[in-house]
Amino acid sequence: MGYTLAVIGCGTMGIAVLSGVLASLDATLSQSAAAKWESHTPGTTTPTLLPTDDSLPSRFVATVSRQESAKRLRSLFFSLGGLGPSVEILVGGNVKAVEEADVVLLCCKPQLAEAILSEPGLKEALHGKLLISILAGVTIAQLTNMVGAGTSVVRAMPNTPCKIREGMTVVSNLPSSDSLELDRERILKIFSSIGRCRFLDEKHFDACTALSGSGPAFACIFLEAMADGGVMMGLPRAEALELAAQTLQGAARMTLGGGTHPAQLKDAVTTPGGCTIAGLLALEDGRVRSTIARAIQIATERASELGQPAKK
């Protein structure tokens, strides 16, 4: 039982996803999973079944294009312990990996998608299987045109906090098929193992790319600025950064875990004539809200251009 999961183009994000899945399965097998602070999206709990269940992977294959990358991956997965050493690493073996897989996770760079999916024999190997693409800007229509209608194609957009199993992944709604329920369960168990998972229409993906994909970079700008302010007022750099990071983490947890709206959190710490309202007015003077919102808008527009043919 169980199924084979192939990760094609196993780079940074492929490693993050695969490592999260392995860690989740290892925790399940050892029955020593630590409780996470947040509640997953309803219906997307961390896997609790043994990998004999057909909705959980029991074999893992990852492909890379260079021997140096293969050596690095073998060392990395071996160091994870548990199921890590069982990951099979293939160099230039995309077709072989797909032939032996039930679910294929496409993690290459967007501009390499067509070259990889057009490899001789790969289209045939994908027939009747589930292809999950994490490529920014490459649409389901484009992918289906490359692999043929016989392959179930969905898009997923995880972000970098997946590396520490605190990610946010958005998955496109699945096409109708006889395997719809099984495919959905497999997808949920893959991405719930590395954070939260939410299904949305593909039309929202560019905005999701900007908000959750680019969002960590935007959040780090705000985090760094808060720490700089603390340093300016005399705090040591290390302590200022710790205070700022824990403060943002705490606010996020209150929103996700307690269902508290950010405006409620803001108002709760804003007393008449106090320091918080003075600081908030300074932020409003700097048009922080509109600047951040515009950053999401501009990043969304840029995301829509990724993976598209270059204009001549």
Side-chain angles (χ1 to χ4, degrees):
M1 296 292 287
Y3 70 89
T4 299
L5 174 65
V7 181
I8 305 301
C10 192
T12 301
M13 193 56 71
I15 292 171
V17 174
L18 191 48
S19 297
V21 172
L22 292 169
S24 180
L25 289 172
D26 283 335
T28 300
L29 292 171
S30 66
Q31 298 182 338
S32 62
K36 288 167 63 66
W37 60 263
E38 45 87 354
S39 298
H40 288 291
T41 303
T44 64
T45 54
T46 299
T48 55
L49 299 174
L50 295 176
T52 53
D53 176 20
D54 200 37
S55 67
L56 290 172
S58 56
R59 182 187 175 203
F60 308 90
V61 184
T63 72
V64 291
S65 59
R66 299 182 300 169
Q67 286 290 350
E68 312 90 86
S69 300
K71 183 178 180 180
R72 179 172 60 87
L73 257 62
R74 289 191 183 98
S75 175
L76 186 153
F77 287 123
F78 184 82
S79 69
L80 294 178
L83 293 170
S86 70
V87 178
E88 302 167 43
I89 311 297
L90 303 180
V91 179
N94 295 331
V95 175
K96 176 178 171 57
V98 172
E99 285 176 342
E100 299 180 4
D102 301 291
V103 177
V104 178
L105 188 62
L106 184 63
C107 300
C108 64
K109 294 179 180 178
Q111 59 269 29
L112 298 178
E114 187 168 8
I116 289 176
L117 294 177
S118 62
E119 289 183 24
L122 201 139
K123 181 177 179 179
E124 291 73 17
L126 276 170
H127 186 79
K129 298 179 179 179
L130 174 63
L131 174 65
I132 306 171
S133 167
I134 68 168
L135 311 187
V138 183
T139 67
I140 291 176
Q142 288 176 293
L143 292 165
T144 301
N145 187 54
M146 296 177 199
V147 301
T151 301
S152 295
V153 179
V154 297
R155 290 179 64 188
M157 185 53 60
N159 61 2
T160 51
C162 289
K163 295 178 182 179
I164 58 169
R165 299 180 67 191
E166 294 291 356
M168 181 69 237
T169 303
V170 177
V171 182
S172 63
N173 289 318
L174 279 68
S176 297
S177 69
D178 294 337
S179 61
L180 175 62
E181 291 304 317
L182 178 58
D183 288 346
R184 181 182 175 86
E185 193 172 1
R186 285 174 170 177
I187 290 170
L188 288 175
K189 288 182 176 180
I190 288 173
F191 294 109
S192 291
S193 71
I194 54 174
R196 287 175 171 254
C197 181
R198 176 73 67 179
F199 284 89
L200 283 174
D201 289 336
E202 188 188 16
K203 65 182 181 181
H204 297 301
F205 261 57
D206 292 334
C208 292
T209 299
L211 186 54
S212 64
S214 302
F218 304 152
C220 284
I221 288 290
F222 195 79
L223 170 58
E224 187 179 28
M226 287 180 65
D228 284 346
V231 172
M232 182 176 68
M233 300 313 298
L235 289 175
R237 169 63 66 179
E239 283 74 8
L241 186 58
E242 180 183 16
L243 265 64
Q246 181 60 35
T247 298
L248 290 181
Q249 180 176 238
R253 287 182 173 182
M254 289 180 73
T255 297
L256 289 172
T260 307
H261 193 280
Q264 292 177 286
L265 294 177
K266 172 181 67 68
D267 289 347
V269 296
T270 305
T271 56
C275 59
T276 303
I277 189 62
L280 287 171
L281 288 176
L283 290 174
E284 297 293 355
D285 289 341
R287 301 174 61 189
V288 168
R289 290 185 196 231
S290 62
T291 299
I292 293 173
R294 281 278 293 150
I296 301 300
Q297 178 189 1
I298 296 299
T300 299
E301 293 170 354
R302 176 58 183 143
S304 68
E305 300 171 356
L306 298 176
Q308 304 304 310
K311 295 180 179 179
K312 295 182 180 180

PDB file of all heavy atoms in Angstrom, residues 192-222:
ATOM      1  N   SER A 192      -0.369  19.789   4.095  1.00  0.00           N
ATOM      2  CA  SER A 192      -0.667  20.018   5.500  1.00  0.00           C
ATOM      3  C   SER A 192       0.508  19.621   6.378  1.00  0.00           C
ATOM      4  O   SER A 192       0.624  20.081   7.510  1.00  0.00           O
ATOM      5  CB  SER A 192      -1.910  19.233   5.929  1.00  0.00           C
ATOM      6  OG  SER A 192      -3.059  19.758   5.318  1.00  0.00           O
ATOM      7  N   SER A 193       1.373  18.767   5.856  1.00  0.00           N
ATOM      8  CA  SER A 193       2.539  18.343   6.629  1.00  0.00           C
ATOM      9  C   SER A 193       3.577  19.454   6.741  1.00  0.00           C
ATOM     10  O   SER A 193       4.497  19.375   7.547  1.00  0.00           O
ATOM     11  CB  SER A 193       3.176  17.104   5.984  1.00  0.00           C
ATOM     12  OG  SER A 193       3.813  17.434   4.767  1.00  0.00           O
ATOM     13  N   ILE A 194       3.428  20.506   5.943  1.00  0.00           N
ATOM     14  CA  ILE A 194       4.396  21.612   5.983  1.00  0.00           C
ATOM     15  C   ILE A 194       3.720  22.938   6.314  1.00  0.00           C
ATOM     16  O   ILE A 194       4.282  24.008   6.089  1.00  0.00           O
ATOM     17  CB  ILE A 194       5.157  21.734   4.643  1.00  0.00           C
ATOM     18  CG1 ILE A 194       4.182  21.844   3.465  1.00  0.00           C
ATOM     19  CG2 ILE A 194       6.111  20.566   4.465  1.00  0.00           C
ATOM     20  CD1 ILE A 194       4.859  22.111   2.132  1.00  0.00           C
ATOM     21  N   GLY A 195       2.525  22.898   6.879  1.00  0.00           N
ATOM     22  CA  GLY A 195       1.842  24.128   7.272  1.00  0.00           C
ATOM     23  C   GLY A 195       0.360  24.081   6.984  1.00  0.00           C
ATOM     24  O   GLY A 195      -0.289  23.051   7.155  1.00  0.00           O
ATOM     25  N   ARG A 196      -0.175  25.174   6.523  1.00  0.00           N
ATOM     26  CA  ARG A 196      -1.592  25.275   6.186  1.00  0.00           C
ATOM     27  C   ARG A 196      -1.805  25.056   4.698  1.00  0.00           C
ATOM     28  O   ARG A 196      -0.920  25.367   3.892  1.00  0.00           O
ATOM     29  CB  ARG A 196      -2.142  26.658   6.583  1.00  0.00           C
ATOM     30  CG  ARG A 196      -2.310  26.844   8.081  1.00  0.00           C
ATOM     31  CD  ARG A 196      -2.731  28.277   8.408  1.00  0.00           C
ATOM     32  NE  ARG A 196      -3.090  28.369   9.806  1.00  0.00           N
ATOM     33  CZ  ARG A 196      -4.325  28.474  10.273  1.00  0.00           C
ATOM     34  NH1 ARG A 196      -5.335  28.530   9.433  1.00  0.00           N
ATOM     35  NH2 ARG A 196      -4.571  28.547  11.571  1.00  0.00           N
ATOM     36  N   CYS A 197      -3.005  24.572   4.352  1.00  0.00           N
ATOM     37  CA  CYS A 197      -3.333  24.319   2.951  1.00  0.00           C
ATOM     38  C   CYS A 197      -4.742  24.809   2.675  1.00  0.00           C
ATOM     39  O   CYS A 197      -5.657  24.559   3.466  1.00  0.00           O
ATOM     40  CB  CYS A 197      -3.225  22.824   2.653  1.00  0.00           C
ATOM     41  SG  CYS A 197      -3.570  22.379   0.936  1.00  0.00           S
ATOM     42  N   ARG A 198      -4.904  25.495   1.549  1.00  0.00           N
ATOM     43  CA  ARG A 198      -6.209  26.046   1.181  1.00  0.00           C
ATOM     44  C   ARG A 198      -6.426  25.863  -0.322  1.00  0.00           C
ATOM     45  O   ARG A 198      -5.519  26.103  -1.120  1.00  0.00           O
ATOM     46  CB  ARG A 198      -6.249  27.531   1.533  1.00  0.00           C
ATOM     47  CG  ARG A 198      -7.504  28.267   1.114  1.00  0.00           C
ATOM     48  CD  ARG A 198      -8.672  27.901   1.982  1.00  0.00           C
ATOM     49  NE  ARG A 198      -8.522  28.370   3.345  1.00  0.00           N
ATOM     50  CZ  ARG A 198      -9.423  28.186   4.306  1.00  0.00           C
ATOM     51  NH1 ARG A 198     -10.532  27.513   4.020  1.00  0.00           N
ATOM     52  NH2 ARG A 198      -9.213  28.640   5.525  1.00  0.00           N
ATOM     53  N   PHE A 199      -7.629  25.432  -0.706  1.00  0.00           N
ATOM     54  CA  PHE A 199      -7.984  25.300  -2.116  1.00  0.00           C
ATOM     55  C   PHE A 199      -8.670  26.580  -2.596  1.00  0.00           C
ATOM     56  O   PHE A 199      -9.572  27.101  -1.926  1.00  0.00           O
ATOM     57  CB  PHE A 199      -8.936  24.111  -2.329  1.00  0.00           C
ATOM     58  CG  PHE A 199      -8.259  22.773  -2.282  1.00  0.00           C
ATOM     59  CD1 PHE A 199      -8.116  22.090  -1.084  1.00  0.00           C
ATOM     60  CD2 PHE A 199      -7.746  22.197  -3.436  1.00  0.00           C
ATOM     61  CE1 PHE A 199      -7.481  20.859  -1.033  1.00  0.00           C
ATOM     62  CE2 PHE A 199      -7.108  20.962  -3.401  1.00  0.00           C
ATOM     63  CZ  PHE A 199      -6.979  20.294  -2.197  1.00  0.00           C
ATOM     64  N   LEU A 200      -8.229  27.076  -3.762  1.00  0.00           N
ATOM     65  CA  LEU A 200      -8.814  28.272  -4.367  1.00  0.00           C
ATOM     66  C   LEU A 200      -8.830  28.111  -5.889  1.00  0.00           C
ATOM     67  O   LEU A 200      -8.055  27.335  -6.447  1.00  0.00           O
ATOM     68  CB  LEU A 200      -8.015  29.529  -4.007  1.00  0.00           C
ATOM     69  CG  LEU A 200      -8.196  30.126  -2.612  1.00  0.00           C
ATOM     70  CD1 LEU A 200      -7.206  31.272  -2.421  1.00  0.00           C
ATOM     71  CD2 LEU A 200      -9.618  30.613  -2.384  1.00  0.00           C
ATOM     72  N   ASP A 201      -9.690  28.875  -6.549  1.00  0.00           N
ATOM     73  CA  ASP A 201      -9.696  28.884  -8.010  1.00  0.00           C
ATOM     74  C   ASP A 201      -8.358  29.408  -8.535  1.00  0.00           C
ATOM     75  O   ASP A 201      -7.737  30.279  -7.913  1.00  0.00           O
ATOM     76  CB  ASP A 201     -10.825  29.770  -8.537  1.00  0.00           C
ATOM     77  CG  ASP A 201     -12.198  29.151  -8.321  1.00  0.00           C
ATOM     78  OD1 ASP A 201     -12.266  27.910  -8.198  1.00  0.00           O
ATOM     79  OD2 ASP A 201     -13.185  29.905  -8.260  1.00  0.00           O
ATOM     80  N   GLU A 202      -7.961  28.905  -9.678  1.00  0.00           N
ATOM     81  CA  GLU A 202      -6.669  29.302 -10.248  1.00  0.00           C
ATOM     82  C   GLU A 202      -6.585  30.796 -10.517  1.00  0.00           C
ATOM     83  O   GLU A 202      -5.491  31.373 -10.478  1.00  0.00           O
ATOM     84  CB  GLU A 202      -6.408  28.534 -11.542  1.00  0.00           C
ATOM     85  CG  GLU A 202      -4.996  28.754 -12.085  1.00  0.00           C
ATOM     86  CD  GLU A 202      -4.786  28.147 -13.460  1.00  0.00           C
ATOM     87  OE1 GLU A 202      -5.782  27.826 -14.136  1.00  0.00           O
ATOM     88  OE2 GLU A 202      -3.614  27.998 -13.867  1.00  0.00           O
ATOM     89  N   LYS A 203      -7.707  31.454 -10.751  1.00  0.00           N
ATOM     90  CA  LYS A 203      -7.692  32.885 -11.057  1.00  0.00           C
ATOM     91  C   LYS A 203      -7.095  33.707  -9.916  1.00  0.00           C
ATOM     92  O   LYS A 203      -6.683  34.857 -10.125  1.00  0.00           O
ATOM     93  CB  LYS A 203      -9.100  33.385 -11.362  1.00  0.00           C
ATOM     94  CG  LYS A 203     -10.064  33.322 -10.182  1.00  0.00           C
ATOM     95  CD  LYS A 203     -11.462  33.797 -10.579  1.00  0.00           C
ATOM     96  CE  LYS A 203     -12.422  33.748  -9.386  1.00  0.00           C
ATOM     97  NZ  LYS A 203     -13.782  34.193  -9.784  1.00  0.00           N
ATOM     98  N   HIS A 204      -7.027  33.137  -8.719  1.00  0.00           N
ATOM     99  CA  HIS A 204      -6.479  33.855  -7.563  1.00  0.00           C
ATOM    100  C   HIS A 204      -4.978  33.629  -7.380  1.00  0.00           C
ATOM    101  O   HIS A 204      -4.389  34.201  -6.450  1.00  0.00           O
ATOM    102  CB  HIS A 204      -7.201  33.420  -6.287  1.00  0.00           C
ATOM    103  CG  HIS A 204      -8.662  33.732  -6.266  1.00  0.00           C
ATOM    104  ND1 HIS A 204      -9.157  35.013  -6.384  1.00  0.00           N
ATOM    105  CD2 HIS A 204      -9.740  32.921  -6.147  1.00  0.00           C
ATOM    106  CE1 HIS A 204     -10.483  34.986  -6.330  1.00  0.00           C
ATOM    107  NE2 HIS A 204     -10.861  33.732  -6.197  1.00  0.00           N
ATOM    108  N   PHE A 205      -4.370  32.815  -8.223  1.00  0.00           N
ATOM    109  CA  PHE A 205      -3.002  32.375  -7.946  1.00  0.00           C
ATOM    110  C   PHE A 205      -1.955  33.484  -8.021  1.00  0.00           C
ATOM    111  O   PHE A 205      -0.984  33.468  -7.270  1.00  0.00           O
ATOM    112  CB  PHE A 205      -2.617  31.207  -8.859  1.00  0.00           C
ATOM    113  CG  PHE A 205      -2.751  29.882  -8.181  1.00  0.00           C
ATOM    114  CD1 PHE A 205      -3.969  29.511  -7.633  1.00  0.00           C
ATOM    115  CD2 PHE A 205      -1.689  29.025  -8.046  1.00  0.00           C
ATOM    116  CE1 PHE A 205      -4.127  28.303  -6.981  1.00  0.00           C
ATOM    117  CE2 PHE A 205      -1.819  27.810  -7.402  1.00  0.00           C
ATOM    118  CZ  PHE A 205      -3.044  27.443  -6.861  1.00  0.00           C
ATOM    119  N   ASP A 206      -2.122  34.431  -8.916  1.00  0.00           N
ATOM    120  CA  ASP A 206      -1.136  35.510  -8.989  1.00  0.00           C
ATOM    121  C   ASP A 206      -1.150  36.331  -7.705  1.00  0.00           C
ATOM    122  O   ASP A 206      -0.087  36.717  -7.184  1.00  0.00           O
ATOM    123  CB  ASP A 206      -1.412  36.403 -10.205  1.00  0.00           C
ATOM    124  CG  ASP A 206      -1.152  35.683 -11.518  1.00  0.00           C
ATOM    125  OD1 ASP A 206      -0.333  34.748 -11.530  1.00  0.00           O
ATOM    126  OD2 ASP A 206      -1.782  36.045 -12.533  1.00  0.00           O
ATOM    127  N   ALA A 207      -2.340  36.591  -7.176  1.00  0.00           N
ATOM    128  CA  ALA A 207      -2.443  37.325  -5.914  1.00  0.00           C
ATOM    129  C   ALA A 207      -1.876  36.504  -4.762  1.00  0.00           C
ATOM    130  O   ALA A 207      -1.221  37.049  -3.859  1.00  0.00           O
ATOM    131  CB  ALA A 207      -3.900  37.701  -5.636  1.00  0.00           C
ATOM    132  N   CYS A 208      -2.111  35.184  -4.791  1.00  0.00           N
ATOM    133  CA  CYS A 208      -1.559  34.317  -3.746  1.00  0.00           C
ATOM    134  C   CYS A 208      -0.037  34.274  -3.811  1.00  0.00           C
ATOM    135  O   CYS A 208       0.644  34.231  -2.783  1.00  0.00           O
ATOM    136  CB  CYS A 208      -2.124  32.903  -3.883  1.00  0.00           C
ATOM    137  SG  CYS A 208      -3.881  32.764  -3.519  1.00  0.00           S
ATOM    138  N   THR A 209       0.486  34.275  -5.030  1.00  0.00           N
ATOM    139  CA  THR A 209       1.938  34.308  -5.205  1.00  0.00           C
ATOM    140  C   THR A 209       2.521  35.559  -4.572  1.00  0.00           C
ATOM    141  O   THR A 209       3.553  35.513  -3.890  1.00  0.00           O
ATOM    142  CB  THR A 209       2.304  34.267  -6.699  1.00  0.00           C
ATOM    143  OG1 THR A 209       1.808  33.056  -7.277  1.00  0.00           O
ATOM    144  CG2 THR A 209       3.811  34.336  -6.901  1.00  0.00           C
ATOM    145  N   ALA A 210       1.856  36.691  -4.783  1.00  0.00           N
ATOM    146  CA  ALA A 210       2.332  37.955  -4.223  1.00  0.00           C
ATOM    147  C   ALA A 210       2.173  37.994  -2.711  1.00  0.00           C
ATOM    148  O   ALA A 210       3.080  38.420  -1.985  1.00  0.00           O
ATOM    149  CB  ALA A 210       1.571  39.119  -4.863  1.00  0.00           C
ATOM    150  N   LEU A 211       1.014  37.533  -2.220  1.00  0.00           N
ATOM    151  CA  LEU A 211       0.707  37.673  -0.796  1.00  0.00           C
ATOM    152  C   LEU A 211       1.454  36.683   0.082  1.00  0.00           C
ATOM    153  O   LEU A 211       2.116  37.072   1.051  1.00  0.00           O
ATOM    154  CB  LEU A 211      -0.803  37.535  -0.584  1.00  0.00           C
ATOM    155  CG  LEU A 211      -1.331  37.790   0.827  1.00  0.00           C
ATOM    156  CD1 LEU A 211      -0.876  39.146   1.353  1.00  0.00           C
ATOM    157  CD2 LEU A 211      -2.851  37.710   0.839  1.00  0.00           C
ATOM    158  N   SER A 212       1.378  35.386  -0.250  1.00  0.00           N
ATOM    159  CA  SER A 212       2.050  34.400   0.602  1.00  0.00           C
ATOM    160  C   SER A 212       3.414  33.990   0.073  1.00  0.00           C
ATOM    161  O   SER A 212       4.292  33.606   0.844  1.00  0.00           O
ATOM    162  CB  SER A 212       1.171  33.154   0.786  1.00  0.00           C
ATOM    163  OG  SER A 212       0.961  32.484  -0.431  1.00  0.00           O
ATOM    164  N   GLY A 213       3.597  34.069  -1.260  1.00  0.00           N
ATOM    165  CA  GLY A 213       4.902  33.713  -1.831  1.00  0.00           C
ATOM    166  C   GLY A 213       5.938  34.796  -1.599  1.00  0.00           C
ATOM    167  O   GLY A 213       7.026  34.546  -1.076  1.00  0.00           O
ATOM    168  N   SER A 214       5.601  36.028  -1.975  1.00  0.00           N
ATOM    169  CA  SER A 214       6.514  37.158  -1.767  1.00  0.00           C
ATOM    170  C   SER A 214       6.364  37.751  -0.380  1.00  0.00           C
ATOM    171  O   SER A 214       7.251  38.460   0.106  1.00  0.00           O
ATOM    172  CB  SER A 214       6.235  38.252  -2.805  1.00  0.00           C
ATOM    173  OG  SER A 214       6.378  37.767  -4.118  1.00  0.00           O
ATOM    174  N   GLY A 215       5.247  37.461   0.275  1.00  0.00           N
ATOM    175  CA  GLY A 215       4.935  38.055   1.570  1.00  0.00           C
ATOM    176  C   GLY A 215       6.016  37.937   2.632  1.00  0.00           C
ATOM    177  O   GLY A 215       6.257  38.899   3.371  1.00  0.00           O
ATOM    178  N   PRO A 216       6.693  36.769   2.766  1.00  0.00           N
ATOM    179  CA  PRO A 216       7.753  36.698   3.776  1.00  0.00           C
ATOM    180  C   PRO A 216       8.827  37.768   3.595  1.00  0.00           C
ATOM    181  O   PRO A 216       9.371  38.280   4.582  1.00  0.00           O
ATOM    182  CB  PRO A 216       8.324  35.287   3.566  1.00  0.00           C
ATOM    183  CG  PRO A 216       7.151  34.493   3.088  1.00  0.00           C
ATOM    184  CD  PRO A 216       6.411  35.435   2.173  1.00  0.00           C
ATOM    185  N   ALA A 217       9.139  38.122   2.345  1.00  0.00           N
ATOM    186  CA  ALA A 217      10.130  39.175   2.114  1.00  0.00           C
ATOM    187  C   ALA A 217       9.601  40.527   2.585  1.00  0.00           C
ATOM    188  O   ALA A 217      10.328  41.327   3.196  1.00  0.00           O
ATOM    189  CB  ALA A 217      10.484  39.249   0.625  1.00  0.00           C
ATOM    190  N   PHE A 218       8.311  40.781   2.318  1.00  0.00           N
ATOM    191  CA  PHE A 218       7.713  42.040   2.766  1.00  0.00           C
ATOM    192  C   PHE A 218       7.679  42.100   4.292  1.00  0.00           C
ATOM    193  O   PHE A 218       7.964  43.139   4.900  1.00  0.00           O
ATOM    194  CB  PHE A 218       6.295  42.194   2.206  1.00  0.00           C
ATOM    195  CG  PHE A 218       6.211  42.098   0.703  1.00  0.00           C
ATOM    196  CD1 PHE A 218       5.059  41.637   0.089  1.00  0.00           C
ATOM    197  CD2 PHE A 218       7.291  42.454  -0.103  1.00  0.00           C
ATOM    198  CE1 PHE A 218       4.976  41.541  -1.294  1.00  0.00           C
ATOM    199  CE2 PHE A 218       7.223  42.359  -1.481  1.00  0.00           C
ATOM    200  CZ  PHE A 218       6.064  41.903  -2.077  1.00  0.00           C
ATOM    201  N   ALA A 219       7.331  40.975   4.907  1.00  0.00           N
ATOM    202  CA  ALA A 219       7.273  40.924   6.364  1.00  0.00           C
ATOM    203  C   ALA A 219       8.654  41.151   6.974  1.00  0.00           C
ATOM    204  O   ALA A 219       8.786  41.792   8.024  1.00  0.00           O
ATOM    205  CB  ALA A 219       6.714  39.575   6.822  1.00  0.00           C
ATOM    206  N   CYS A 220       9.688  40.633   6.297  1.00  0.00           N
ATOM    207  CA  CYS A 220      11.050  40.801   6.814  1.00  0.00           C
ATOM    208  C   CYS A 220      11.508  42.254   6.739  1.00  0.00           C
ATOM    209  O   CYS A 220      12.299  42.706   7.584  1.00  0.00           O
ATOM    210  CB  CYS A 220      12.020  39.895   6.057  1.00  0.00           C
ATOM    211  SG  CYS A 220      11.899  38.164   6.560  1.00  0.00           S
ATOM    212  N   ILE A 221      11.020  42.991   5.736  1.00  0.00           N
ATOM    213  CA  ILE A 221      11.325  44.424   5.673  1.00  0.00           C
ATOM    214  C   ILE A 221      10.750  45.129   6.897  1.00  0.00           C
ATOM    215  O   ILE A 221      11.411  45.942   7.548  1.00  0.00           O
ATOM    216  CB  ILE A 221      10.744  45.040   4.375  1.00  0.00           C
ATOM    217  CG1 ILE A 221      11.534  44.583   3.152  1.00  0.00           C
ATOM    218  CG2 ILE A 221      10.740  46.570   4.466  1.00  0.00           C
ATOM    219  CD1 ILE A 221      12.934  45.167   3.053  1.00  0.00           C
ATOM    220  N   PHE A 222       9.491  44.810   7.215  1.00  0.00           N
ATOM    221  CA  PHE A 222       8.844  45.421   8.380  1.00  0.00           C
ATOM    222  C   PHE A 222       9.541  44.984   9.662  1.00  0.00           C
ATOM    223  O   PHE A 222       9.765  45.793  10.572  1.00  0.00           O
ATOM    224  CB  PHE A 222       7.368  45.027   8.408  1.00  0.00           C
ATOM    225  CG  PHE A 222       6.539  45.863   9.331  1.00  0.00           C
ATOM    226  CD1 PHE A 222       6.107  47.124   8.952  1.00  0.00           C
ATOM    227  CD2 PHE A 222       6.187  45.390  10.585  1.00  0.00           C
ATOM    228  CE1 PHE A 222       5.346  47.898   9.804  1.00  0.00           C
ATOM    229  CE2 PHE A 222       5.425  46.166  11.451  1.00  0.00           C
ATOM    230  CZ  PHE A 222       5.003  47.432  11.058  1.00  0.00           C
TER     231      PHE A 222
END
